[in-house]
Amino acid sequence: MHGCFVSFLALWLRQQGGSYFYLLREASRSRFIPRINLRGNQLVKSTQTKVSIIVPVFNEALLIRPFLEHLRDRAAEAEIIVADGGSTDDTADLSVGFCDQLVRSESNRGVQMNAGARAAHGDILWFVHVDAEVPRGCLHEIEQIMNDPKIAGGFFRIRLPRSSIYRFTDGFAHYAGILLRMRCGDHGLFCRRTAFVHVGGFPEVPLMEDVEFFRLLRRRGRVICSQKRILTSPRRYEAVGRVRLTLAYGLIAMLYIFGIPLSKLASLYGRICCKTV
């Protein structure tokens, strides 16, 4: 019914004069309303999936603007939402003009990503960390995966810089993730908005909110691993220590599987590595 109305309106405006038709054409270029492709005297409504990218940040003034420019280059058609957790530096100010929306909340990744999801207009929600480099053709890849209605969501494989310890970490995390059915936020999790709402969004917990969400999402349908990779920054490995952080991740994952409360895992993580973010 809506498609018929749009087509009728477009034809009527064409008859009224070129200026009206020009306005319709310009309006149809908006990322967040149904697109109308103009081919001669025919009008074809686009069914392109809309993707909203949610970026949780806290005190990332050095990275935020280059990262948002990178997203605009690699995912030009997406809606970009920065979910700031009360940064005390210039992160929020530097985001303005480089994203579609800036939302603010308390400093908790689960809370921030839920706030971003509530503000999003897209059919697909994609959660990306600010220190990542997304692959070329990422939106097309997501749309291809999500074409199957039985698929609830997906994620990308991680690519770390070339180093023996990083290769070990990457391989261990990938195959342990398959065995334990766990994935973290560095993988760039994406899902249908309907699935996100059904599972209640991200658990607002001190740690492992991404792993908890991934497990909830799998109950809604298949979750697919893309063959493309997200390049992940090694900055935390360099700050904490490559071996130390790798072992810490392994220990926390094991304790998580054995049901140790997340509050205790967060405390352990803070003692071994650094403050959680």
Side-chain angles (χ1 to χ4, degrees):
M1 183 69 178
H2 179 269
C4 293
F5 173 75
V6 170
S7 299
F8 173 79
L9 177 61
L11 291 171
W12 181 82
L13 288 174
R14 180 188 286 274
Q15 295 171 358
Q16 304 311 305
S19 60
Y20 291 99
F21 193 64
Y22 171 80
L23 291 174
L24 175 66
R25 184 186 66 190
E26 293 303 303
S28 74
R29 290 175 177 171
S30 170
R31 284 194 295 271
F32 310 119
I33 63 174
R35 182 169 298 174
I36 301 171
N37 297 325
L38 308 179
R39 299 177 183 172
N41 292 326
Q42 293 185 340
L43 296 159
V44 182
K45 183 180 175 182
S46 172
T47 57
Q48 183 178 15
T49 303
K50 303 179 186 69
V51 178
S52 292
I53 304 175
I54 294 98
V55 185
V57 293
F58 179 75
N59 288 347
E60 297 286 5
L62 292 178
L63 294 180
I64 187 62
R65 187 163 286 182
F67 176 70
L68 293 177
E69 291 175 337
H70 163 70
L71 274 188
R72 281 294 184 213
D73 177 57
R74 297 284 174 91
E77 296 299 315
E79 177 187 34
I80 300 175
I81 300 171
V82 172
D84 184 68
S87 295
T88 55
D89 62 4
D90 295 328
T91 298
D93 292 338
L94 291 170
S95 301
V96 175
F98 290 81
C99 63
D100 295 293
Q101 293 192 68
L102 170 66
V103 297
R104 303 173 191 263
S105 68
E106 64 181 272
S107 181
N108 174 287
R109 269 218 176 122
V111 173
Q112 290 169 238
M113 291 188 288
N114 288 339
R118 284 193 296 270
H121 297 91
D123 306 310
I124 305 298
L125 306 177
W126 184 18
F127 302 91
V128 183
H129 290 176
V130 72
D131 58 356
E133 180 182 320
V134 302
R136 295 186 183 279
C138 52
L139 293 186
H140 177 72
E141 176 75 358
I142 290 173
E143 289 167 4
Q144 290 295 108
I145 289 174
M146 301 306 290
N147 273 340
D148 185 343
K150 295 180 181 178
I151 294 174
F155 60 94
F156 294 85
R157 275 205 66 177
I158 290 174
R159 179 163 62 90
L160 288 165
R162 296 181 181 276
S163 167
S164 56
I165 186 63
Y166 291 146
R167 284 197 296 269
F168 169 78
T169 299
D170 181 33
F172 172 79
H174 178 64
Y175 292 107
I178 293 174
L179 180 64
L180 302 175
R181 298 180 177 179
M182 295 169 55
R183 294 295 169 183
C184 65
D186 287 335
H187 287 270
L189 304 176
F190 55 88
C191 67
R192 300 186 191 280
R193 171 190 288 278
T194 51
F196 182 88
V197 171
H198 188 272
V199 303
F202 283 88
E204 297 178 354
V205 293
L207 194 70
M208 309 288 277
E209 75 290 328
D210 41 12
V211 175
E212 293 271 283
F213 174 74
F214 180 81
R215 290 187 150 192
L216 292 171
L217 187 62
R218 290 187 71 255
R219 298 175 187 172
R220 290 293 300 160
R222 295 172 58 204
V223 181
I224 301 298
C225 177
S226 168
Q227 295 306 305
K228 290 183 178 289
R229 293 197 178 210
I230 280 184
L231 178 63
T232 301
S233 169
R235 61 176 178 160
R236 179 152 294 180
Y237 288 91
E238 300 300 328
V240 176
R242 299 178 185 181
V243 175
R244 183 185 182 92
L245 189 60
T246 298
L247 294 176
Y249 282 161
L251 174 62
I252 289 171
M254 181 181 67
L255 295 176
Y256 172 79
I257 291 299
F258 283 106
I260 301 302
L262 294 178
S263 58
K264 291 186 177 181
L265 293 182
S267 176
L268 176 64
Y269 181 74
R271 292 199 303 271
I272 295 177
C273 305
C274 53
K275 292 181 180 179
T276 57
V277 293

